[in-house]
Structure formats: C-alpha cells, structure tokens
Amino acid sequence: MNILLLGPPGAGKGTQATLLCQRLQLQHLSTGDMLRQAIREKTPWGRQAASAMERGDLAGDEIVLGLVQERLASSPSGAGHLLDGFPRNLAQAKALQDCGLSIDAVVELVVAEDVLVDRISGRRVHPKSGRVYHVRLQPPAREGHDDLTCEPLVQRPDDQPRAVRERLQVYAAQTRPLTAHYRQRLPGRVVQLDGGGTPLAVHEQLLAALGRIASTADA
Ligand code: AP5
C-alpha cells in the first residue's frame, strides 16, 4: 500500500508517519527529513535548498524530485511507501504520477491554526534521527535530550515565528489544492481526519480510515 499524508506544518504528519510505518511496515519517505539530511551533509542539493527552507518557502521541484527518485530507487522491491510532505504542489503531483507509483490512499490531517502554532513553537528534534518531541505535549524523558542517544535536542531553524507564518501561507496556496486534485483523480480514496486528538487517538482513526478505504476498494 502506498499512502500519501497531507496536512499543514505541525499537523502531526511526521508523528503519524512514524507510528504507521511501524504498524504497517511501510517505507517512510519524508522530503523534509531528506532535505534536512542533505543540508547537514552539505551536498549540492542541500546547499541549494537551505535558504528557501529557512525562510519557510518550498525547495525547488528539481531538487525534491531528484531526492525522491533516489530514495524510490533504493527501496526494497514491492515495499509500500508512506509519503510525508511530498507531493507539495500540483507540479510534484504530476511528476509522481509520471514515475508510476500508484497511490492507494490520501489522508489529510486537519488541525486548527492556533494548535499548529502551539505544536510548532514547542517542537524539539533530534537532528540525526529526526525523532520529534514537544516540550509540553510529548516531552523527552530527560529535558532537552533525546530518549535513545541522550544527545541534545534542537529547535528547527524554520520553526521561528516568521518562517512558520510563511510555511502556513505556502501550504494554503500550494499544497491544500492537492486534496481537491486527489479527490477528483482518486475518488473514494481521500479522507480528511481531525488531527487535533492525542497522537494515539489520531493513529487509531487513521488506521480505521485506511481500513475503510481498503474495503471499499476491494468491494
Ligand atoms: P517538512 O519537514 O515536511 O515540514 P512541514 O510539512 O512543515 O511539517 P512539520 O514537520 O512542521 O510538521 P508535521 O506535520 O510533520 O508535525 P510533527 O509530527 O513534527 O518540510 C520542511 C520544509 O522542507 C518545508 O517548509 C520546505 O521548505 C521543505 N520541503 C519539504 N518537502 C518539500 C517538497 N515536497 N517540496 C518542496 N519543499 C519541501 O508534529 C509537530 C509537533 O507537534 C511535534 O512537537 C509533535 O511532538 C507534536 N504533535 C504531533 N502530533 C500531536 C498530537 N496529536 N497531539 C499533540 N502534539 C502532537
């Protein structure tokens, strides 16, 4: 099964992707994580993407498509994928269609904007693994440190208020139209879910929604 997870910054895509990939044995394809890794490793793509990302803009389509193609080529054959943060605009959706990866389900997480801002401002990450915490809502066992490695947690540069405002605008203008696009292209396979509950409650709703989509598709 290939699943596409949509939702604005802070909606919980990364959190849900981690839970779902463990549960359904899917490959997690997060273009945000891939870009941050490219920036850390100072690759040519990472250097090109860095300033746009820090401002809260999208990285260039060519860079993102290059990273996605590399990742898909190295995935085990027959593996299912969870696409988190890709596609992000209609041009990327078209490119995904052209590369032949069929999408079985599209889930959009819907969360109120004040909740998004609260989640993002309290988010802390472990840069190497991408593990995500929240100072109040999902705190690590030891304040400011990763649970597994005990290394320090950091705030993402694009989690500063100005970049967050830009990311929310970019989402509304470029990414939200994808829901209507997929409703038209994949009727019966697109659901909107309330992402405002606890991570486990949202996970259970997500599993139930995927079950409904799968049973409708089999009927
Ligand atoms: P990306 O990394 O994809 O970021 P995003 O879409 O802005 O989403 P976030 O990572 O901010 O949030 P999330 O929905 O994953 O929430 P999370 O689970 O972390 O992209 C970053 C940038 O990379 C983009 O701005 C762009 O520049 C570039 N980029 C990426 N993909 C691109 C593409 N395809 N094309 C071009 N450019 C691209 O949760 C957030 C916080 O809330 C955490 O602290 C978490 O602990 C907490 N939390 C999560 N769920 C819950 C819950 N249910 N209850 C309480 N707290 C919760």
Side-chain angles (χ1 to χ4, degrees), residues 39-63:
I39 291 173
R40 269 200 314 280
E41 293 174 354
K42 299 186 170 52
T43 68
W45 280 337
R47 277 197 286 268
Q48 284 178 53
S51 58
M53 275 181 78
E54 199 153 326
R55 283 196 306 275
D57 283 340
L58 294 186
D61 289 344
E62 275 179 30
I63 298 172

Side-chain angles (χ1 to χ4, degrees), residues 7-16 30-33 35-36 52-53 56-61 64 84-88 92 119-120 122-124 132-134 137-138 156 158-159 167 195-199 202:
K13 301 181 297 296
T15 302
Q16 293 304 322
S30 158
T31 42
D33 284 349
L35 285 161
R36 282 184 285 276
M53 275 181 78
D57 283 340
L58 294 186
D61 289 344
V64 172
D84 161 8
F86 175 84
R88 205 85 162 199
Q92 292 182 12
R119 285 184 183 178
I120 292 174
R123 171 168 45 199
R124 299 293 181 271
V132 170
Y133 302 85
H134 188 283
L137 302 168
Q138 283 193 301
R156 274 172 36 182
D158 62 344
D159 279 352
R167 285 160 61 200
T198 64
V202 178

